[in-house]
Amino acid sequence: MVNNFKNSDKLSGQKWLIILLANVIAYCCLIMPGIQVPEFLVFDENHPTLVAAGFQILVVTVFLLIQIIGVQIATGRKWHELFHVPHAKEWLWVLVFFIFAYIVSVLSGMVSQKLFGSVSGNAAAGLTMNTPNVWLIFIYQRFSSAIQIMGEEFLAIMPLLAVTQLVSAIHWPHPLLWGNIASALIFSLLHLSTYDYNLGYVILGLAFTRLVLNWAFIKTDNMWVSFLVHFLFDTLAFLMLLLVTK
């Protein structure tokens, strides 16, 4: 944990409120179109139109930019310290954490399904090999998801850092543990609608995978690493779902 963003010149509570408020506003912007917009603007296998594609890109871009702006307002250019170009060893860590995340996800998913029942899964479930232009749609969805996944990394890592600093300030033991718990719970709960509002499944099935992604960030002090692990994990999951769906 040597990154300057995390350890030097601790952010004030007011600055953390700005960052976390940006997280909340961004998330509201992400989910609101699903409630308000007409069906033809929802990009899926039934509406793979340029208008719907453009609207989805706009939504996820706003979702990400609001969070970046919030961190920039609170920290100035210091937010750049969350990122650096991965060096060779970090690319190895990407592979290690990707494999670990996949194993953890499979095991926790199996236990979650056994305890809490099955769920419908992600929004890409409707895409099949019989869908016209299936690979073009798949590539587009990966591009759109890349923007959203970076936004999700901000949603998870900012609470991780905020709670870790708060717990450290009040001299509770194991501040990083509390930060990870808060981050994993927030990340899991934000996916409730994706998994049929099955609370037990979401917490058990996603929290441990989120902890692996957090570990990737903590180990490398680089959000590019946790992002790449997250993106590769989601891409493999969607690809496998696509290939096995008749």
Side-chain angles (χ1 to χ4, degrees), residues 4-125:
N4 289 333
F5 185 91
K6 291 181 280 185
N7 282 341
S8 68
D9 301 324
K10 296 292 188 180
L11 298 182
S12 67
Q14 183 180 24
K15 290 182 176 180
W16 276 120
L17 284 176
I18 292 172
I19 292 172
L20 297 178
L21 180 60
N23 290 153
V24 173
I25 294 173
Y27 180 71
C28 290
C29 290
L30 179 67
I31 65 173
M32 191 61 68
I35 301 172
Q36 300 291 338
V37 302
E39 188 176 354
F40 75 89
L41 285 178
V42 178
F43 185 95
D44 57 23
E45 68 281 357
N46 297 316
H47 307 94
T49 65
L50 289 178
V51 172
F55 182 75
Q56 181 171 313
I57 291 294
L58 175 62
V59 170
V60 295
T61 300
V62 169
F63 167 62
L64 174 59
L65 286 180
I66 288 174
Q67 297 184 86
I68 292 176
I69 291 169
V71 177
Q72 187 168 26
I73 290 173
T75 68
R77 293 185 59 83
K78 195 174 184 181
W79 75 276
H80 291 172
E81 295 170 4
L82 291 164
F83 300 90
H84 58 262
V85 177
H87 51 68
K89 187 175 181 180
E90 288 179 336
W91 283 106
L92 179 60
W93 281 121
V94 169
L95 177 60
V96 169
F97 281 110
F98 165 64
I99 295 172
F100 190 34
Y102 181 77
I103 294 172
V104 169
S105 176
V106 169
L107 294 177
S108 61
M110 290 171 58
V111 174
S112 299
Q113 186 168 345
K114 190 173 184 63
L115 293 177
F116 303 107
S118 60
V119 293
S120 61
N122 60 72

Side-chain angles (χ1 to χ4, degrees), residues 116-136:
F116 303 107
S118 60
V119 293
S120 61
N122 60 72
L127 190 65
T128 73
M129 293 298 290
N130 294 324
T131 303
N133 302 310
V134 56
W135 291 113
L136 184 61

